[in-house]
Amino acid sequence: MILLDGKHIAATIRQEIREQVEQLRAAGCRVPKLVIVIVGHNPASETYVANKMKACAEVGIEAEKRAFEASVTEAELLAEVARLNSDPSVDGFIVQLPLPEHIAETAILSAIDYRKDVDGLTPANVGRTVQGLPSIVSATPRGIRELLARYHIATEGKHVVVIGRSNIVGKPIAMLLMQRPYLSLPSMSAASLGNATVTVCHSKTQDLASICRTADIIIVAAGSPKLLTADMVREGATVIDVGINRVDDPASPKGYRLVGDVDFEQVAPKTAYITPVPGGVGPMTIVSLLQNTLQAYSND
Ligand code: NAD
């Protein structure tokens, strides 16, 4: 069993990005710029935004936070999106979700220019991904694909089972892995990604265990601790655990610890490759945002 060390791979990619940004600076070019729009004072969102700002600073990407009170109107936020769309000094921007209830998320996301949509969540980017056109892929699926590529885990002809059908993980990763690979994407090191036979499972799927047992690769993004147990995994399979769940742990100073969706202790010995939680997909997600920002900059 080989651990897919997302922490290590993410550090390698950060170093690659740092060098690329440094080269731009040395050549007298402006550096890439990311703007993060945050609305209200959701503590989790504030932590995510702080982490993203820090990640940018570490690699030399310019990052700017634009904070709005929760009382901001949809029209005011749409005006900000329009302004960022047309600001040539901004390569990419994200609107941190969730938004307050009086603002329609779809209206805001749909208004973002897909070339600056470094979260890859606009209908335009998702549509382009579906059609196999160059697009900005949302961070977690991009990170999973990168992790597979860096460990030379080919997906061509393999049966991939995806558990979860969310817009941010399940649907896009399924779409990416079933595509004919398109090599124009930056930083892909394996030509044999894509071309998989993909089965997408969800909460209404019947006999999940039998379907999983036919998988060469299982990607779990359900948000349910120990959903994937050893009897559901065949010997030599690859398991990618996207889940992040807090479980009570009186022995931990925080009183809880983070676990994925996989019964790691039981499943890991059966696998060829498996991601740990934490330290697997999570670090890849953050670094993917940096890659997307660089991609948006280069597409100018
Ligand atoms: P979600 O929470 O929007 O939806 C969960 C999906 O799992 C649904 O499609 C549901 O049908 C399916 N599901 C739930 N229970 C199931 C079951 N028992 N059997 C089969 N399918 C089941 O999904 P999400 O936003 O993709 O998040 C999923 C998990 O991934 C969460 O734990 C989230 O915190 C985590 N996550 C991690 C990262 C990361 O960077 N590591 C990024 C995004 C999400």
Side-chain angles (χ1 to χ4, degrees):
M1 180 271 290
I2 294 173
L3 267 189
L4 298 173
D5 188 347
K7 202 172 164 191
H8 172 72
I9 298 291
T12 306
I13 297 172
R14 273 200 302 277
Q15 180 57 25
E16 292 167 6
I17 296 173
R18 196 177 294 123
E19 283 165 14
Q20 288 177 57
V21 174
E22 192 42 52
Q23 277 170 16
L24 290 169
R25 201 189 294 275
C29 303
R30 68 175 184 84
V31 298
K33 179 174 176 180
L34 171 73
V35 171
I36 304 178
V37 176
I38 178 167
V39 178
H41 298 279
N42 176 328
S45 293
E46 285 184 334
T47 305
Y48 293 141
V49 169
N51 288 342
K52 290 169 187 175
M53 301 281 293
K54 189 166 154 247
C56 285
E58 278 169 10
V59 298
I61 290 177
E62 190 184 339
E64 186 184 323
K65 180 168 112 174
R66 291 190 190 245
F68 291 84
E69 288 304 322
S71 56
V72 68
T73 65
E74 189 175 300
E76 284 166 335
L77 209 53
L78 283 170
E80 177 66 7
V81 167
R83 206 194 59 69
L84 292 168
N85 280 342
S86 59
D87 182 343
S89 75
V90 175
D91 299 291
F93 65 100
I94 64 177
V95 178
Q96 185 66 43
L97 302 177
L99 293 170
E101 275 188 4
H102 66 276
I103 298 176
E105 238 166 63
T106 329
I108 301 298
L109 291 181
S110 302
I112 299 173
D113 183 332
Y114 75 88
R115 291 163 299 188
K116 294 192 175 191
D117 166 31
V118 288
D119 256 348
L121 294 178
T122 59
N125 259 320
V126 175
R128 292 177 70 84
T129 303
V130 171
Q131 294 197 343
L133 297 169
S135 61
I136 301 181
V137 173
S138 62
T140 304
R142 179 172 183 153
I144 295 170
R145 190 181 54 177
E146 187 82 42
L147 200 55
L148 292 169
R150 300 260 173 166
Y151 278 89
H152 304 287
I153 300 170
T155 58
E156 184 164 295
K158 300 285 173 58
H159 183 207
V160 177
V161 169
V162 177
I163 308 177
R165 56 178 163 186
S166 70
N167 286 340
I168 61 166
V169 187
K171 281 184 205 160
I173 192 64
M175 200 51 63
L176 285 177
L177 294 182
M178 63 87 96
Q179 293 280 5
R180 288 206 179 106
Y182 52 97
L183 301 173
S184 58
L185 277 168
S187 68
M188 294 307 301
S189 50
S192 47
L193 278 178
N195 277 339
T197 304
V198 181
T199 302
V200 181
C201 300
H202 46 77
S203 52
K204 305 292 180 205
T205 297
Q206 289 183 10
D207 203 359
L208 182 65
S210 298
I211 297 171
C212 288
R213 277 193 288 271
T214 67
D216 301 300
I217 298 172
I218 304 174
I219 300 173
V220 202
S224 177
K226 297 198 177 178
L227 173 64
L228 193 78
T229 48
D231 60 302
M232 299 165 78
V233 179
R234 77 176 180 204
E235 290 284 342
T238 291
V239 171
I240 307 287
D241 189 353
V242 184
I244 302 178
N245 308 290
R246 272 187 187 194
V247 292
D248 292 341
D249 182 2
S252 144
K254 290 179 182 160
Y256 68 86
R257 66 194 158 88
L258 295 180
V259 299
D261 290 348
V262 175
D263 184 354
F264 187 86
E265 304 297 318
Q266 304 298 322
V267 169
K270 292 185 81 175
T271 61
Y273 299 92
I274 187 166
T275 56
V277 176
V281 175
M284 295 300 296
T285 295
I286 297 181
V287 86
S288 296
L289 174 66
L290 306 178
Q291 289 180 302
N292 281 346
T293 304
L294 205 54
Q295 181 183 339
Y297 175 93
S298 308
N299 285 347
D300 274 357

Short mmCIF file of all heavy atoms in Angstrom, two decimals, residues 82 107 150 180 189 192 215 262:
data_model
loop_
_atom_site.label_atom_id
_atom_site.label_comp_id
_atom_site.label_asym_id
_atom_site.label_seq_id
_atom_site.Cartn_x
_atom_site.Cartn_y
_atom_site.Cartn_z
N ALA A 82 -19.00 42.68 -11.78
CA ALA A 82 -18.80 43.34 -13.08
C ALA A 82 -17.51 44.15 -13.08
O ALA A 82 -16.76 44.15 -14.05
CB ALA A 82 -20.00 44.24 -13.39
N ALA A 107 -27.00 33.45 -9.41
CA ALA A 107 -26.93 34.74 -10.12
C ALA A 107 -25.52 35.30 -10.05
O ALA A 107 -24.98 35.80 -11.05
CB ALA A 107 -27.93 35.72 -9.51
N ARG A 150 0.58 12.72 -10.64
CA ARG A 150 1.93 12.76 -10.06
C ARG A 150 2.38 11.38 -9.57
O ARG A 150 3.56 11.13 -9.45
CB ARG A 150 1.98 13.77 -8.92
CG ARG A 150 1.64 15.18 -9.35
CD ARG A 150 2.86 16.03 -9.56
NE ARG A 150 2.52 17.32 -10.14
CZ ARG A 150 3.33 18.36 -10.19
NH1 ARG A 150 4.55 18.27 -9.70
NH2 ARG A 150 2.94 19.49 -10.74
N ARG A 180 -12.00 12.11 -22.96
CA ARG A 180 -10.73 11.86 -23.65
C ARG A 180 -9.74 12.84 -23.02
O ARG A 180 -10.07 14.00 -22.83
CB ARG A 180 -10.85 12.19 -25.13
CG ARG A 180 -11.67 11.22 -25.89
CD ARG A 180 -11.23 11.24 -27.35
NE ARG A 180 -12.01 10.28 -28.10
CZ ARG A 180 -12.96 10.63 -28.95
NH1 ARG A 180 -13.22 11.88 -29.16
NH2 ARG A 180 -13.64 9.70 -29.58
N SER A 189 1.16 15.47 -15.88
CA SER A 189 2.33 14.68 -16.23
C SER A 189 1.97 13.30 -16.79
O SER A 189 2.84 12.56 -17.17
CB SER A 189 3.24 14.55 -15.02
OG SER A 189 2.49 14.14 -13.92
N SER A 192 -2.31 9.44 -19.72
CA SER A 192 -3.35 8.42 -19.66
C SER A 192 -4.42 8.72 -18.62
O SER A 192 -5.14 7.84 -18.17
CB SER A 192 -2.72 7.07 -19.40
OG SER A 192 -1.80 7.19 -18.35
N ALA A 215 -14.76 -1.72 -8.64
CA ALA A 215 -13.99 -0.52 -8.99
C ALA A 215 -12.48 -0.76 -8.93
O ALA A 215 -11.98 -1.43 -8.02
CB ALA A 215 -14.34 0.62 -8.03
N VAL A 262 -13.59 7.18 4.69
CA VAL A 262 -13.12 5.81 4.54
C VAL A 262 -12.71 5.26 5.90
O VAL A 262 -12.11 5.97 6.71
CB VAL A 262 -11.89 5.80 3.58
CG1 VAL A 262 -11.29 4.41 3.48
CG2 VAL A 262 -12.29 6.33 2.20
#
